[in-house]
Amino acid sequence: AQSVAQPEDQVNVAEGNPLTVKCTYSVSGNPYLFWYVQYPNRGLQFLLKYITGDNLVKGSYGFEAEFNKSQTSFHLKKPSALVSDSALYFCAVRDRGSTLGRLYFGRGTQLTVWP
Amino acid sequence: GAVVSQHPSRVICKSGTSVKIECRSLDFQATTMFWYRQFPKQSLMLMATSNEGSKATYEQGVEKDKFLINHASLTLSTLTVTSAHPEDSSFYICSATDRHSYTGELFFGEGSRLTVL
């Protein structure tokens, strides 16, 4: 069974500091991994994905994530947070063997960056 | 990038009426679309998987007679909330996968805020 865990409901950081939003996953096969961001009353926007190759993936708005197979993690990071990064972040996983295209989402982590 | 258009963005209706929400993939073809429901400050709850030309697959606990889904073309899926009641008030989000994508990346609509009075 596929599942995603985002252990932190809330992450607070000061502007300019590095940020990390944690994600661990469980899939029966090899995963495709995704991060999405949601601003209030909006749909989800794609940030980045891991498919294969380099474990460090770079995405939109300066975000990056590192795939760690041994720890089954895919933490989202940014070297220097901006106030405008404040939003709800979702990690998602898809089993490569799945033909349906369904993604399994974590419960979300609210990131707040204060000035 | 791939764009999914969802309409209307906000709708207010009286209890007992039906509301239709449209989800369109603007620049790609989507054999599969997904409908989610999101409660305040919570994650997305998958309601159903919509497949072009066939019946939707509903998640456990989702009433298929209440939430009618039609996926008549490769670019359009609709969700109709029938005989809406206040407890159906929520944020509904659709998403779609490009049929030519092997990674299954989802593209999301902007969501539809339904308020039932």
Side-chain angles (χ1 to χ4, degrees):
Chain A
Q2 289 83 359
S3 67
V4 178
Q6 291 180 244
E8 303 156 314
D9 289 336
Q10 183 95 23
V11 170
N12 300 311
V13 297
E15 187 173 34
N17 283 0
L19 70 87
T20 299
V21 182
K22 295 180 180 178
C23 172
T24 58
Y25 65 90
S26 174
V27 295
S28 54
N30 292 315
Y32 293 137
L33 295 158
F34 305 85
W35 275 101
Y36 289 85
V37 60
Q38 185 182 32
Y39 296 97
N41 293 310
R42 303 291 295 276
L44 275 67
Q45 296 179 30
F46 169 77
L47 276 181
L48 52 79
K49 63 184 176 183
Y50 169 80
I51 304 302
T52 188
D54 194 347
N55 289 343
L56 183 62
V57 178
K58 294 187 182 297
S60 306
Y61 313 120
F63 283 93
E64 58 188 28
E66 185 165 12
F67 170 60
N68 187 316
K69 187 173 183 178
S70 63
Q71 298 184 3
T72 61
S73 67
F74 191 56
H75 302 329
L76 181 70
K77 299 182 179 183
K78 187 172 182 179
S80 179
L82 299 173
V83 173
S84 58
D85 293 330
S86 299
L88 187 58
Y89 290 81
F90 290 99
C91 180
V93 64
R94 178 194 167 197
D95 187 341
R96 287 174 191 259
S98 169
T99 57
L100 292 178
R102 176 179 176 174
L103 292 189
Y104 292 83
F105 287 89
R107 63 181 180 179
T109 299
Q110 180 67 48
L111 172 67
T112 301
V113 182
W114 70 82
Chain B
V3 178
V4 174
S5 173
Q6 192 172 338
H7 178 82
S9 58
R10 293 178 183 272
V11 57
I12 300 173
C13 69
K14 294 181 178 180
S15 185
T17 60
S18 294
V19 174
K20 179 185 285 188
I21 300 170
E22 292 188 348
C23 180
R24 294 180 183 272
S25 57
L26 296 187
D27 51 1
F28 66 98
Q29 293 181 327
T31 51
T32 304
M33 290 185 174
F34 301 89
W35 286 95
Y36 295 86
R37 182 174 181 177
Q38 186 179 32
F39 293 100
K41 298 185 179 181
Q42 293 190 26
S43 188
L44 289 77
M45 181 191 80
L46 180 64
M47 298 174 65
T49 302
S50 169
N51 298 297
E52 187 265 337
S54 64
K55 292 183 178 180
T57 303
Y58 289 82
E59 294 298 302
Q60 190 173 8
V62 178
E63 299 177 61
K64 59 183 178 182
D65 293 331
K66 180 154 191 69
F67 298 100
L68 299 179
I69 291 173
N70 184 276
H71 193 157
S73 76
L74 287 172
T75 59
L76 174 65
S77 177
T78 60
L79 167 68
T80 301
V81 183
T82 62
S83 187
H85 291 283
E87 58 265 28
D88 299 324
S89 299
S90 192
F91 193 55
Y92 294 88
I93 307 175
C94 73
S95 65
T97 302
D98 186 336
R99 67 182 301 197
H100 299 297
S101 169
Y102 72 95
T103 60
E105 177 183 334
L106 286 183
F107 301 98
F108 286 83
E110 286 295 296
S112 299
R113 173 74 60 192
L114 171 63
T115 302
V116 184
L117 303 177

